[in-house]
Amino acid sequence: MVKAIVGANWGDEGKGKITDMLGQEADIIVRYQGGSNAGHTIINKYGKFALHLLPSGVFYDHTTSIIGNGVALNIPYLFQEIKSIVDRGVPAPKILVSDRAQIMMPYHILFDQYEEERLGGKSFGSTKSGIAPFYSDKYAKIGFQVSELFDEEVLKEKVNHVCEMKNILLEHMYHKPKIDSVELFNTLLKYRDMVKPYVCDVAAYLHQALQEDKNILLEGQLGALKDPDFGIYPMVTSSSTLASYGAIGAGIPAYEIKKVVAVAKAYSSAVGAGEFVSEIFGEEADELRKRGGDGGEFGATTGRPRRMGWFDAVATRYGCRMQGATEVALTVLDVLGYLKELPICVGYEIDGVITKDFPTTVKLAKAKPVYEILPGWMEEIRGITKYEELPKNCRKYIEFIEKELEVPITMISNGPGREEIIFRNK
Ligand code: GDP
């Protein structure tokens, strides 16, 4: 059975925690898109970790962690991340890397920085991890697949060809040092030796696993609203963040994804630029940011303060729909216990017309939030394990959101820890 765990919002919904928790019953956990550009924070018996590239299942010794073909594979980063967890007492994880994954090249990271510099104030707010140049090259067919590391002659020729193109840009567009093709070739040989023990035909491995009825989790990065097709283009990421892409980025048939858990946060937060209708500012935002997540809403990769907002039912319903959510995990609800009143954005007013449908970016820029105000519960809800024991106004908030989303909320996360979860039998 394949279950995808994906974001219904702009990312940072707490997918890491939900994956870590559901990993208990999984055999295999697959990352299928993105790269080391966004982080997942996980708190379990080994401590607190910020993972970027490894799937959140690496903490269990019964699971196999897979980097699928859809991922932007930063090889030195992967090794650094494995080392960082093993050094802290986590048993060495079982990891497989798809032979069809493409490699994050050192120049992708540089191009990302140079382009942000060039754009100045008009930048996309990139995390500068090389993601956009990486996926551009993949689809321009000048990326490097892991499998290509194992044929030195072909590799050398390709390195020379790519360096020629890249050096023209470096010299004439960015006025930066050129790439030395010999040095790059040698770096790739080092990458080959590092990754060799983990390389595997992942699609074949998963085909076998499916035949053996194994439990497979697909772990998404970022959220539906950062999807290049259905998100707030162009302020999106460069690989699809949707569960449907899990089939491609892992190498399994689309019809195998039976369950999709959309993770939605009980309020809104976003990093980087882009339209954000229910955004709040000033003291109101500072207070929520300070209390949010686990120790404040600051980016796990960049440390940047996240933009804050009230729960956006329009964006989240759309996010759930585009994810094909079969259930919702509502996270970080505990943080809202200090508020007397809780606004929920239930509509967008665009040119005087109220809509509940999430529009394209040009229209979104004109949208003003329409709020419904719910009473707060003014209570600490951490430690509660049964749904019925939640304060009445808290349940009202959850049930209001559920109605708006049109998808059952089956899990409520009321703390960052693995055990801090309330299951609802729906
Ligand atoms: P991801 O990228 O979707 O995995 O999300 P992140 O890990 O970037 O952000 C979620 C943040 O919220 C992390 O700091 C988590 O430890 C924290 N978190 C997750 N669930 C909860 C929760 O229910 N309550 C609180 N207070 N924090 C949570």
Side-chain angles (χ1 to χ4, degrees), residues 40 129 174 178 236 330 382 391:
H40 305 287
S129 335
Y174 295 110
K178 292 202 268 182
V236 293
L330 190 67
R382 282 188 77 170

Side-chain angles (χ1 to χ4, degrees), residues 244-281:
S244 336
Y245 188 75
I248 298 164
I252 56 168
Y255 61 75
E256 292 288 357
I257 304 175
K258 303 282 190 243
K259 288 191 175 170
V260 177
V261 180
V263 184
K265 202 145 139 170
Y267 53 89
S268 300
S269 74
V271 257
E275 302 308 332
F276 186 1
V277 178
S278 65
E279 185 166 11
I280 53 173
F281 304 91

Side-chain angles (χ1 to χ4, degrees), residues 5-7 10-19 38-43 48-51 56 219-223 263 265 267 269 291-301 306 330-336 382 412-417 420-421:
I5 298 158
V6 289
W10 298 264
D12 306 317
E13 298 95 347
K15 297 175 294 294
K17 176 207 155 143
I18 301 294
T19 309
H40 305 287
T41 312
I42 293 159
I43 299 167
K48 179 173 173 176
F49 298 86
L51 294 184
S56 303
E219 182 184 11
Q221 182 215 38
L222 292 166
V263 184
K265 202 145 139 170
Y267 53 89
S269 74
R291 292 170 178 267
D294 171 53
E297 289 284 1
F298 298 92
T301 306
R306 291 178 182 149
L330 190 67
T331 59
V332 214
L333 192 66
D334 50 300
V335 161
L336 301 179
R382 282 188 77 170
I412 293 134
S413 175
N414 59 339
E420 292 179 291
I421 193 89

Side-chain angles (χ1 to χ4, degrees), residues 66 172 319 325:
I66 293 186
H172 299 291

